[in-house]
Amino acid sequence: MKSRYVVVSAALVALLSACGVIRGDDEGSKGAQAAGVTSEPCPAAVDKNKGCIYLGTVSDLTAGPFAALAVPITDAQKAFWARVNKAGGIGGTYEVDVTKFVRDNKYNPEVHRQVYNEMKDQVLGLAQTLGSPTTAAILGDLKANSVVAAPASWTSAWEFEDVILETGANYCVEAMNSVDYAMETYKPKSVMAVHLAGDYGADAAAGAKIAAERNGLTFTSVETPSGATEQGRAITEITKNKPDLVILTTGPADAATIVGQAAAAGFKGRFIGTGPTWNPALLKSPAAPALKALYEQSAPGKPWDSDTPGHQAMREALPGVTPNDGYTSGWAWAYPMKAALEKMVASGDVSRKGLLAAVKSLQTVDYEGMLPPEAGNFAGDPNAATFRQTLVNKLDDKAPTGVTTVKDFFVGPTAQGHTFDGPCYAKL
C-alpha cells in the first residue's frame, strides 16, 4: 500500500512538473518548488540545465498616460534579465523570465487587478507594477500572499509596505528637494503645486507643502485631471495667482499644455516637474520654447547618457533604441529584485516567503553606480530607510533624452529633517 502510494505520488509530481509549475506548497515547504518557480528551463534559456523563476509585469503599454515611458521600461527590464541570465543566472541554479507574463493595465486600476489575478498563480513576484493607484488596487492581495513587487512609481506609501521593492526617492522627497533647490537658485516667495489626484500627484504636492512651510513660503494647491485638453483650470489658476514656483506632478502631455499655455498667457515663473512629467518627444512639441525657458525636471536617478557602469551596461544591452529615460528607470528598478532573488536562493527557501524575507534583510544594493548603494535599504524602519537624494535636470537639445543634470544627487534641508511616519499624500 505504501509503495503504491509512492508510485502514484511520483507520477503526480512528474505530471505537475511537466506542466511547468508545482503549486500549493509555497507556504513553508522547502522541499518543493513555489508558484512561479520551475525545475524546467525558461522558454529562452541560456542554460537548459537551470530552473526558471517567472516574474510578471503589469504596465501601461498602450492606452494610458505613461505608455511612452512604460514600453521602454518594460523593454529595459527584459534586457536586464537577459544580461543576468547570460552571466550565469541566479545562484547558478535559476534563470529569470520576464517575457511570458506581461500584461497591459491601460493605467486603469480595475484592469490592473484583472490581469494581475490572471497571472498571480504563475509568477513568484512582479518585476514591474506600473502606477501608484493601479498598484494600490492589488496591494491587499500582494500582502496577503507575500508577493514581492517592484513598482514603476515612487509614492511615499511604498516606504511602509514590505512587499514593495521600490527604487529611488519618493515623490514627496523629490518635491521637498525641488523647493529647497529653488530656494537656493530662484529665491521664490510663493509655491503652487499643480497635481493629479491620488498617491502620485498628491504625494508630491504634500512634499511641496511641507517644504514651503519650512521655508516660510506661501503655498497653494490645484488638483487637475489627466488629459491635455483638461488643463484649463490649472492654467487659469497659475496665470491669475502668478506663483514664483510651480511644482508639477502630471503626465508629460499635461505638463506641456500647462507650461506652454501659461507662458503664452504671459506667465514668467518657474516650473519644476517630477520625473514622469518629462518625455523627450516634448522637445518637438509646440511647447518646446516655453519648456526650455521655464521648466526643469526633478528626477530620482541620473539620465540615459550618464557615465556609470550600470548606464554603460544598459546602453550596450539596448543597441539601436531611441534613448529614453524609461529605459533608465526600468533598468535601475531591476537591481533590488536581482539582489533579493540571489539572497533567497542562497538561503535555500525558494518561495514567496523566502523572497520576502530576503527583501527585508537587504541593507544595500549594488546599482552599478546608477544610484548610491544605500538607496537599497529595505531592512530599516521607514523613517531610517527612506532614501532622500534626488537630482535636477535642465532641458538640453543635444542630450540623448533631452535633459542634462544641473544638480547631482543631493538632500535638501527639508527632506533631511522630515520624519516619515506615514504616506505624505495623507497630509496634504
Side-chain angles (χ1 to χ4, degrees):
M1 195 64 189
K2 183 176 179 179
S3 61
R4 181 181 178 190
Y5 172 80
V6 170
V7 170
V8 171
S9 298
L12 180 60
V13 169
L15 175 62
L16 292 173
S17 292
C19 293
V21 179
I22 301 176
R23 299 178 186 158
D25 44 15
D26 184 66
E27 308 304 321
S29 177
K30 293 187 179 182
Q33 296 187 53
V37 180
T38 76
S39 57
E40 305 299 319
C42 292
V46 177
D47 181 352
K48 296 188 181 301
N49 292 315
K50 292 187 173 74
C52 190
I53 294 171
Y54 288 92
L55 300 176
T57 293
V58 187
S59 193
D60 180 6
L61 299 174
T62 57
F66 299 107
L69 287 171
V71 173
I73 287 170
T74 303
D75 288 345
Q77 295 189 334
K78 291 176 182 175
F80 179 95
W81 290 107
R83 177 183 179 234
V84 169
N85 293 340
K86 189 175 180 181
I90 301 295
T93 309
Y94 294 97
E95 294 184 4
V96 177
D97 181 89
V98 295
T99 65
K100 186 173 182 178
F101 299 101
V102 178
R103 301 292 184 271
D104 184 5
N105 71 5
K106 306 181 188 301
Y107 206 68
N108 180 315
E110 184 54 39
V111 175
H112 195 99
R113 180 166 41 232
Q114 175 189 335
V115 297
Y116 164 73
N117 283 334
E118 290 170 359
M119 72 167 66
K120 70 177 185 180
D121 291 337
Q122 302 170 79
V123 297
L124 181 67
L126 296 181
Q128 181 195 153
T129 168
L130 186 139
S132 302
T134 44
T135 299
I138 62 171
L139 184 60
D141 193 274
L142 296 176
K143 293 161 70 172
N145 293 291
S146 301
V147 179
V148 171
S153 64
W154 292 273
T155 172
S156 62
W158 303 152
E159 311 291 347
F160 303 89
E161 302 295 347
D162 289 340
V163 294
I164 300 296
L165 199 54
E166 74 277 9
T167 279
N170 59 59
Y171 301 120
C172 184
V173 165
E174 198 174 319
M176 289 176 182
N177 285 343
S178 292
V179 173
D180 285 349
Y181 163 78
M183 285 299 295
E184 290 180 356
T185 311
Y186 305 112
K187 312 295 183 188
K189 292 183 169 47
S190 56
V191 179
M192 175 182 286
V194 175
H195 64 93
L196 302 183
D199 41 7
Y200 165 44
D203 205 54
K209 179 182 179 183
I210 293 166
E213 290 172 347
R214 186 187 186 282
N215 286 293
L217 308 178
T218 301
F219 176 79
T220 51
S221 176
V222 177
E223 182 179 303
T224 190
S226 178
T229 60
E230 303 293 326
Q231 304 309 317
R233 176 173 170 261
I235 295 163
T236 298
E237 291 294 326
I238 292 169
T239 55
K240 180 177 71 177
N241 294 295
K242 298 180 174 56
D244 297 319
L245 172 66
V246 178
I247 300 295
L248 277 176
T249 321
T250 64
D254 311 331
T257 300
I258 291 168
V259 176
Q261 295 191 20
F267 180 70
K268 299 183 184 304
R270 300 296 307 180
F271 291 89
I272 300 179
T274 46
T277 60
W278 177 246
N279 185 294
L282 298 184
L283 276 175
K284 298 179 181 178
S285 74
L291 289 163
K292 291 178 184 177
L294 302 179
Y295 169 90
E296 289 169 299
Q297 179 207 30
S298 61
K302 295 172 179 285
W304 166 275
D305 58 340
S306 298
D307 184 20
T308 77
H311 284 85
Q312 182 176 346
M314 171 191 69
R315 292 190 295 266
E316 290 175 355
L318 293 161
V321 303
T322 300
N324 183 309
D325 282 319
Y327 293 116
T328 317
S329 295
W331 186 277
W333 282 326
Y335 284 103
M337 183 65 83
K338 173 175 175 283
L341 290 175
E342 287 170 342
K343 290 199 82 170
M344 175 195 74
V345 171
S347 77
D349 185 3
V350 180
S351 69
R352 287 174 171 173
K353 288 190 174 179
L355 180 58
L356 180 57
V359 168
K360 292 167 72 172
S361 70
L362 288 175
Q363 295 181 306
T364 60
V365 166
D366 180 6
Y367 288 95
E368 294 189 283
M370 297 183 82
L371 284 105
E374 59 267 32
N377 181 3
F378 302 93
D381 68 77
N383 187 52
T386 295
F387 183 65
R388 304 180 191 223
Q389 300 180 40
T390 62
L391 309 93
V392 178
N393 298 322
K394 68 174 182 180
L395 302 202
D396 181 351
D397 284 314
K398 297 179 181 177
T401 55
V403 294
T404 55
T405 299
V406 292
K407 180 82 170 175
D408 209 337
F409 278 117
F410 73 102
V411 186
T414 303
Q416 186 69 50
H418 183 71
T419 300
F420 279 90
D421 55 6
C424 290
Y425 58 79
K427 302 176 180 178
L428 181 63

